[in-house]
Amino acid sequence: MDAGKLNSRILFYRANQVSDGFGGFTVGFTASSSVWGHYKQINGSIDDESGVRQRAITAEVICRKKSVEGISIEDVFRIDSTSGANY
């Protein structure tokens, strides 16, 4: 992999339980790591479903194996160089 092709900062977040102050819990996210990767949007269709417009994005993300070894499949990630959507 050419290091020059790693064009985006990818931030990973891990879900955890946080006290809501009333004796219960809510889900919160804490930053677990950040790596450089190659982000490429492949498809982005806009569909009307029951009167609501929804956008579905298909993206390709390539990272180096050693930099993402501690990442879990349940983690959420955000591409820092885009508008701020979570994946």
Side-chain angles (χ1 to χ4, degrees):
M1 164 125 253
D2 182 16
K5 290 189 177 192
L6 304 179
N7 59 359
S8 301
R9 185 59 128 178
I10 302 170
L11 308 167
F12 289 93
Y13 298 94
R14 185 158 291 158
N16 56 4
Q17 288 186 345
V18 178
S19 174
D20 64 0
F22 298 102
F25 293 97
T26 182
V27 175
F29 291 93
T30 56
S32 61
S33 68
S34 64
V35 299
W36 282 101
H38 178 72
Y39 170 78
K40 180 180 173 186
Q41 185 174 336
I42 297 172
N43 191 1
S45 64
I46 299 174
D47 299 322
D48 286 327
E49 189 172 312
S50 302
V52 178
R53 295 186 103 179
Q54 295 182 349
R55 184 173 182 203
I57 297 174
T58 304
E60 176 182 66
V61 178
I62 299 172
C63 298
R64 291 185 173 172
K65 182 180 177 182
K66 288 185 178 181
S67 61
V68 293
E69 285 179 344
I71 305 302
S72 175
I73 192 74
E74 290 90 17
D75 287 351
V76 175
F77 67 92
R78 174 178 288 202
I79 308 298
D80 196 29
S81 62
T82 61
S83 63
N86 290 336
Y87 298 94

